[in-house]
Structures are given as C-alpha cells and as structure tokens.
C-alpha cells in the first residue's frame, strides 16, 4: 500500500501575494524523458549479504500493519499485468518501462496483458472512491479480485485477506485516475512490487520503495534484488519463515557476490510508538505544535533505541520540516543531523537532495539567493537520476526565483520554461503547477518581498 505522502517534502510557506507567472509552453507530460535508473550490478551492492538476507525475511513474512504472515506466497508461473478503468495517458508507457526493468533486472516472467484474466489488474478509479475504501492510502493492492466492484462485494472476507492466501493467482491494484502522472507511476512501482513480492515496508531501509518514507519514487537496485530472490527456484509458495531462512543466505550469496564479507549493521525492531510519532508528525491531522511534539518524540525514541540508520535520520528530517517555519536554527541543526546520517546510507544521496531543497527554500527566505542556487545545482542531477520530476521542478523553480533576485531575469524566465514538462509530470494540472510557482515566488526574502 502506498500511503498518502507522510512528509510534505515539497511544501513551501507562502507569505506574500502571488508573483507574475511566466507563460508555459504547451508541452505534454508524456514528453518528459526521465533518466532510467541503472540495474543492480553483481559487484555493486552497498549492502552486506547478511543484511539483505535479514531484510528479505522481514519484508516477506509480515505485513505493513505488523501482522506476521505464516508462509511465503507468490505467483508460480508467468505474470501478466493489464490496465483497466480510466487509464491516464502516461500509464501505459510507464508500465512498459517498469515491465522491461522487472524482466531485465529482476529476471521475472512479467508481460503486459489485454485480457480480463490477467494475473494483476491495475484499475484506475476516482480518488474519492479510493478514499472511501482506504482513507490513508494513495493506492493499494488486494488479493483474489480483479476490480473494485469485486473487492467491495468481498470486503471483510477471507477471500481478500492476505493472511489467508496460500498462492497468488489473481491480484488487483487500485490507483487514482485523477492524480499526477508521477503519482500514477509511483503507485505502479510500489503496488506492482507488492503484488508480485513482499507485502511489508521497513522504515530502516534507505534505498528502497519498501519504505513508507516515500523518498524513493521508483524501484531501486536493492528492490530488484529482493524480487529476484523472491522468485528464485529454491523458494516456493507455502514455505515457512524457518524453511526460507535456511535457504536465503545461500541465494543471496549467489545473486549478490559483492556482499560477501561486508560488515553487517544491527537493526532492532521498530517500536509502534516511533511509527505512530512519525505518522502524527508528518500526517495531515493535528496542530503544528502537536506535530512538532510528535517529531521530538520520534527523535527521542530513535536515540533511546540506539539507532544510527534511516529511522534516526527520518526523525531528524521530520523535526527539521516542522521547525523550519518557527525556529530556523533548530531546523538547520535537525536537517544537518539527518543529512549526515543519510550520506552514510546506501542510496542516501536522494535523501540529502530532499534536504537540500528544504535548505534552498530557507536560503531564499533569509535573503541568500546565491546559497539557494548552490544547493539547487548540487541536488538537481541527483534528483533527475532518481526520476523525481516533482522535486526536480521545485528545485528548478527555486533556482529561477533566486536568479530573479540576483537580477538575472532572462535566465530565470528560461529556467522556468525548462521546468514546465517536469512540473506537469510531477504535479499534474497547470493549476497545481502555477500554484507551486506562486508559492516559491512568495517566499519572503528577509523582508524585501511580500
């Protein structure tokens, strides 16, 4: 299940009237050419094999709710995927790219289908209909059905209970049709990965979509390795955790020889109290003061647990986000602490780029446009590599605003124009794109604007 984003990583505080918005050229979202991620090279893993084996078992034998799964389940044979409902125009292309990666990087027998009895049906329905079924989910996956109508008729029964599944034969994924192209693509990646493979998410994972922090938009090399292990011939549906645990280390050693002999970091369980604090801090409910206290609680729990991984970094990130509007010194300290941890994690460069976007916006607000440009320039290539169009467009617009404030109005106008395809893919409608531009233009500059 892909949750409605817990972190408002792209939110900016508007504190001035709307600025003039440059006219965007009529470029369709489908024209955006996103740079594909590189597949996992056998020699290139940054994880030890012991860590990968541990993570695989924790992902495969539990659900996001914390409920244990008694056995491993998967498709036993070819896997076909079809799109149904009000299919957005960018979805077929994004699905084709994903299928090609699943074939080449994970070695899975996955193909597109155009018949009703596909293994996996992705149905696009209005967001309002999905929220009535799962208020906190952006999109979600259900076993043994092929449509939302079928799910409604079976909801609450063992038929749609993942814990009662013994072998996967039919799965449905429900995605909002009325959302941005990037959100559609992100849902395809996360939900298809869970429809095919592990059902759990782990906050401790740095470079994975199997993590509710939503920093990674598309399946990573780590995720492809997890899926490759999941469909290794030595494993099969019905296998218990103990049986799998005896086989997985050997499978990991065969599929990831570079991880042999690497040190393994300890990773204790994640207490529910920490997860609840993070969900409150970066959720949509509660006052700013209550959410700030929740972020402080998350940091306290993470430190008391002795963590030095993604969970401690994410706690500091939440504290930085919620402190930025009221205590910039504290926010800078929290962001710096988070960035230092993320920089040591596999794939942590995209997390640091998210923080640099926050710092660039803060630099605009404190009258430091040159610093905002430096931060944006450093983050943009990383963000483009990780295929996050919304974040890339935001960074480009922040840089353009900083250029304007330094007197380079021609360069700023050109950069805003260049940002439009990315913004349309990342944010969707022109209305949302223009609102983002107004928000950034309205960031106060030491009292000089607004």
């Amino acid at each position: 299940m892909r949750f409605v984003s817990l972190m408002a990583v792209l939110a900016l505080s508007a504190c001035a009237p709307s600025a003039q918005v440059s006219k965007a050229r009529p470029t369709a979202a489908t024209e955006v050419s996103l740079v594909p991620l590189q597949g996992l090279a056998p020699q290139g893993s940054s994880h030890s094999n012991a860590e990968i084996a541990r993570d695989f078992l924790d992902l495969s034998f539990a659900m996001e709710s914390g409920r244990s799964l008694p056995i491993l389940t998967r498709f036993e044979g070819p896997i076909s995927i079809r799109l149904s409902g009000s299919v957005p125009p960018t979805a077929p292309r994004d699905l084709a790219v994903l299928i090609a990666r699943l074939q080449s990087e994970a070695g899975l027998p996955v193909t597109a289908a155009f018949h009703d009895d596909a293994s996996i049906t992705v149905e696009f329905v209005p967001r309002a209909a999905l929220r009535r079924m799962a208020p906190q989910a952006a999109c979600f996956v259900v076993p043994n059905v092929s449509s939302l109508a079928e799910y409604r008729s079976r909801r609450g029964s063992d038929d749609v209970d993942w814990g009662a599944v013994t072998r996967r034969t039919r799965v449905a994924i429900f995605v909002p049709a009325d959302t941005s192209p990037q959100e559609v693509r992100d849902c395809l990646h996360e939900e298809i990965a869970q429809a095919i493979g592990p059902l759990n998410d782990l906050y401790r994972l740095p470079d994975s979509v199997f993590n509710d922090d939503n920093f990674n938009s598309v399946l990573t090399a780590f995720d492809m390795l997890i899926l490759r292990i999941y469909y290794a011939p030595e494993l099969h549906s019905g296998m218990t955790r103990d049986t799998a645990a005896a086989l997985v280390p050997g499978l990991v050693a065969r599929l990831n020889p570079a991880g042999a002999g690497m040190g393994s970091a300890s990773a204790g369980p994640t207490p529910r109290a920490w997860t609840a604090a993070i969900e409150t801090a970066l959720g949509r409910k509660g006052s700013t003061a209550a959410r700030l206290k929740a972020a402080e609680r998350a940091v306290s729990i993470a430190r008391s647990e002795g963590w030095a991984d993604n969970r401690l970094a994410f706690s500091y990130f939440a504290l930085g986000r919620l402190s930025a509007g009221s205590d910039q010194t504290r926010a800078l300290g929290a962001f710096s602490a988070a960035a230092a941890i993320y920089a040591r994690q596999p794939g942590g460069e995209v997390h640091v780029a998210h923080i640099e976007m926050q710092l660039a916006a803060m630099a605009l607000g404190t009258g430091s446009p040159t610093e905002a440009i430096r931060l944006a320039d450093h983050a943009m290539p990383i963000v483009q590599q990780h295929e996050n169009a919304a974040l890339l467009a935001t960074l480009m617009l922040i840089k353009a605003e900083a250029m304007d404030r330094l007197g380079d109005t021609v360069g700023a106008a050109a950069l805003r124009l260049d940002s439009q395809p990315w913004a349309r893919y990342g944010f969707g409608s022109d209305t949302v794109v223009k609102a983002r531009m107004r928000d950034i233009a309205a960031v106060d500059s030491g009292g000089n604007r607004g």
Side-chain angles (χ1 to χ4, degrees):
M1 178 186 296
R2 184 173 183 85
F3 288 94
V4 175
S5 181
L6 293 175
M7 52 179 185
V9 293
L10 301 177
L12 292 164
S13 298
C15 55
S18 300
Q20 182 66 34
V21 178
S22 60
K23 185 176 181 181
R25 62 187 175 188
T27 305
T30 51
E31 290 183 22
V32 176
S33 177
L34 299 180
V35 179
L37 290 173
Q38 298 300 310
L40 175 69
Q43 309 90 319
S45 175
S46 299
H47 296 263
S48 74
N49 284 348
E51 289 174 332
I52 294 169
R54 177 198 65 205
D55 294 339
F56 176 86
L57 293 169
D58 288 349
L59 285 169
S60 303
F61 288 92
M63 298 183 66
E64 294 175 56
S65 63
R67 177 186 177 189
S68 295
L69 292 171
I71 59 173
L72 182 142
T73 64
R74 68 183 193 182
F75 290 100
E76 301 292 345
I79 304 167
S80 54
I81 306 174
R82 76 178 181 110
L83 304 178
S84 71
S86 302
V87 181
T90 55
R93 179 204 62 181
D94 284 337
L95 177 61
V97 171
L98 174 57
I99 287 175
R101 289 192 60 208
L102 290 170
Q103 292 170 344
S104 63
E105 297 178 46
L108 300 184
V110 181
T111 57
F114 304 94
H115 48 79
D116 291 344
D117 59 346
S119 311
I120 299 172
T121 298
V122 182
E123 183 177 5
F124 291 92
V125 298
R127 182 183 294 275
L130 294 186
R131 284 184 174 169
R132 286 193 291 271
M133 308 298 287
Q136 298 302 315
C139 39
F140 58 98
V141 59
V142 178
N144 298 322
V145 298
S146 296
S147 69
L148 190 62
E150 191 177 4
Y151 173 49
R152 286 195 187 101
S153 69
R154 299 188 182 191
R155 193 179 184 190
S157 72
D158 287 347
D159 289 346
V160 292
D161 180 0
W162 280 108
V165 173
T166 57
R167 175 177 172 174
R168 303 185 197 184
T169 57
R170 210 163 43 110
V171 173
I173 295 168
F174 304 116
V175 180
D178 46 351
T179 192
S180 71
Q182 179 168 319
E183 184 64 33
V184 168
R185 184 214 52 198
D186 293 357
C187 281
L188 289 175
H189 277 250
E190 181 163 340
E191 303 309 324
I192 287 175
Q194 291 197 318
I196 291 172
L199 295 164
N200 197 12
D201 280 331
L202 297 171
Y203 274 109
R204 70 173 183 254
L205 299 178
D207 56 339
S208 176
V209 301
F210 294 110
N211 186 332
D212 282 332
D213 66 11
N214 291 343
F215 276 113
N216 285 287
S217 299
V218 298
L219 290 171
T220 67
F222 173 86
D223 298 329
M224 291 297 182
L225 176 59
I226 291 295
L227 292 174
R228 187 178 284 273
I229 298 167
Y230 207 87
Y231 280 83
E234 292 88 342
L235 304 182
H236 57 79
S237 295
M239 184 172 283
T240 66
R241 180 173 179 133
D242 287 345
T243 304
L247 297 172
V248 167
L251 295 176
V252 177
R254 187 185 82 223
L255 295 172
N256 188 55
M262 293 176 62
S264 178
S266 62
T270 302
R272 178 59 200 166
W274 179 86
T275 304
I278 282 292
E279 289 174 350
T280 299
L282 294 173
R284 294 179 169 181
K285 298 180 179 179
S287 66
T288 301
R291 293 167 63 201
L292 182 58
K293 285 187 179 298
E296 293 169 347
R297 190 160 59 250
V299 171
S300 177
I301 294 171
R303 293 177 66 177
S304 67
E305 291 287 332
W307 295 336
D309 59 17
N310 203 64
R311 293 168 292 186
L312 178 59
F314 195 40
S315 302
Y316 278 123
F317 177 86
L319 183 60
R321 272 288 296 121
L322 290 163
S323 301
S326 58
D327 188 341
Q328 293 208 350
T329 300
R330 188 183 198 191
L332 285 170
F335 282 139
S336 296
I341 299 168
Y342 283 135
R344 299 192 296 268
Q345 303 292 309
E349 64 275 2
V350 70
H351 305 68
V352 175
H354 275 269
I355 291 172
E356 288 175 328
M357 183 279 288
Q358 300 286 345
L359 296 177
M362 290 172 64
L364 272 185
T366 55
S368 303
T370 302
E371 176 66 2
I373 291 171
R374 184 191 70 80
L375 290 161
D377 281 342
H378 183 265
M380 285 192 291
I382 296 165
V383 171
Q384 183 167 351
Q385 181 189 3
H386 284 263
E387 303 185 30
N388 191 327
L391 183 55
L392 178 59
T394 299
L395 286 161
M396 295 172 78
L397 292 172
I398 289 173
K399 180 179 177 179
E401 181 63 23
M403 293 168 69
D404 252 343
R405 297 184 187 189
L406 290 171
D408 185 4
T409 56
V410 174
L415 186 56
R416 287 192 181 96
L417 197 60
D418 289 343
S419 75
Q420 293 310 291
W422 300 98
R424 287 196 180 91
Y425 186 89
F427 300 127
S429 71
D430 281 346
T431 300
V432 178
V433 173
K434 290 177 180 178
R436 175 65 53 195
M437 294 173 72
R438 288 194 299 270
D439 287 346
I440 292 169
V443 172
D444 188 26
S445 166
N448 294 326
R449 292 171 67 97

